[in-house]
Amino acid sequence: MSAALAEPADDGRLPGGFEVRVRSDVRRVEDGRTLLGGSPLRSLRLSPRARLALDGDRLVVADATSEELARRLLGANLADPVLSGVRVAPSELTVVVPVRDRPEQLERALAPLAGLRLLVVDDASHDPAAVAAVAARHGARVLPLPVNLGPAGARNAGLREVRTAYVGFVDSDVQAESAMLLRLARHLADPRVALVGPLVRSRARSVPPRWFERYDECSSSLALGSRSCAVAPGAAVAWLPSACLVGRTDLLGDGFTEAMRVGEDVDLVWRLVGAGRVVRYEAGETAWHDARTTVGEWAGRKYLYGTGGASLAARHGAAGAVAVLSPAMAVAGAAVLLRRRWSLPVVALGLAWAFQQLVRVLPDVPERPALAASVAARGLGWAVRQESALLLRHWWPLGLLALGSRSGRRALVSAVAVDLVVHRDVVRRTGLLRTLVARRVDDLAYGAGLWAGAVREREWRGLAVRVVGRRRPPAPPAGR
């Protein structure tokens, strides 16, 4: 059973003076009457009053019209909030740090949080005295739990003790600075924002970092990209890791689903969005997560993440699908991977179909053919990328069967090449061979967990592909 969410305490309207700015990747067509972009891709036609409210790329909320426009721009990922004038006092934020033993990591976690109210939730540590001593050195209150509840339960126990307007969650193996958390909390000036999270990057403690640590520093499962955005299933960022979060206390209700030992962060985000709340990802702020110190711990964490897929699918249905594909793009993407003589005409037909569908729905402007061609090509790219991930990651037990045929082997080689291109920045920073090995271990561990979870819970929707007939290319699916 999922935790309950609270009703908002006000009407959720943006305050006067709240400012948003149209994103730099949004295209203006029809002489500025239509905005095209966002995630998922959409077009927004502006009324004459709405166009007057926009000062170039800047919009300041001054009345009902500008408030409605700002809300639509933010929700469509066509604009980002401008928060430079917003301030949050340290007295408004309490940070909850769940921990079970690990006093050295707790020391590193609490040190940069000076100046904030700190609540350490001791989740039935074997050595509670060591945890209490670290907490005392940093002026943190300790809430001891008599039995181990797991991360979700420990966070919820802390949440019930919070009396400030805002609450932060920082795991004991994460370093997040006080000032950064207060900057994140500025997003809560929008009364509908319930939760916001930063970019979470891994940092190795070994000197020099071992091969898997170096890879994790470049390609952490918790790092969700360099572009801030609204978070939602089907958007470019579909979830937030619970390693570091800041939320509005009165909108989180009972918090995380305690029965979930993994995937509880994804579940909370999806429930909040489903209830009409706003969740935001702030890529301009960074928290640092300790990299796992052994190959077994690192691969084991990937396996654990995979096991959560079945539980998420059971609770959220199609949102838990491992890929989202239209039939035409699925066929065209498969043709690319197979690299047969007939692949080129099949790809051409798929692109032509997508182009035709897009021309019907895009604004009737001179740029429409070029826009349709660009979006169709991007859709094909996403299809190839998703199908490569299916072969190498989500469905690799089935992918092994492909080794028995020449076409299957060709598709697997193509998928590996696509994966290396997608992760070319990792290749550049860690080397081709190291990336190749680390990517395969990562995929094998995660995929094994995905299948193990599906078998254990008899829930197969977490392995399914959601086939859509919508006319715009699908956004990337959720996943770690």
Side-chain angles (χ1 to χ4, degrees), residues 193-273:
V193 173
L195 203 62
V196 58
L199 169 65
V200 179
R201 297 185 59 186
S202 287
R203 180 161 53 192
R205 292 288 165 187
S206 303
V207 181
R210 287 162 285 190
W211 65 271
F212 63 92
E213 292 175 311
R214 188 180 298 278
Y215 167 78
D216 207 40
E217 286 185 326
C218 301
S219 187
S220 169
S221 298
L222 306 184
L224 303 178
S226 59
R227 193 65 195 255
S228 303
C229 60
V231 180
V237 176
W239 63 287
L240 292 176
S242 53
C244 183
L245 295 168
V246 174
R248 186 182 294 276
T249 308
D250 63 349
L251 292 187
L252 295 182
D254 295 334
F256 299 89
T257 299
E258 296 190 12
M260 300 183 72
R261 292 273 176 149
V262 63
E264 77 283 357
D265 40 16
V266 186
D267 171 71
L268 176 60
V269 167
W270 289 356
R271 286 189 291 113
L272 287 169
V273 173

Side-chain angles (χ1 to χ4, degrees), residues 211-213 215-216 221 291-307 393 437-438 440-450:
W211 65 271
F212 63 92
E213 292 175 311
Y215 167 78
D216 207 40
S221 298
R292 308 292 167 181
T293 56
T294 69
V295 174
E297 288 181 351
W298 170 66
R301 180 56 51 170
K302 304 291 185 177
Y303 176 88
L304 181 65
Y305 288 158
T307 62
R393 187 171 180 84
V437 172
R440 300 294 70 78
V441 175
D442 188 335
D443 289 343
L444 291 172
Y446 182 87
L450 197 62

Side-chain angles (χ1 to χ4, degrees), residues 107 151 157 224 378 409 412 451 479:
E107 186 89 52
L224 303 178
R378 190 166 68 178
R409 291 192 295 271
L412 285 171
W451 282 81

Side-chain angles (χ1 to χ4, degrees), residues 110 113-120 132-142:
L110 295 181
L113 296 175
L116 299 178
R117 302 183 186 199
L118 303 177
L119 176 59
V120 173
V134 173
R137 282 197 292 273
H138 295 277
R141 175 189 166 200
V142 177

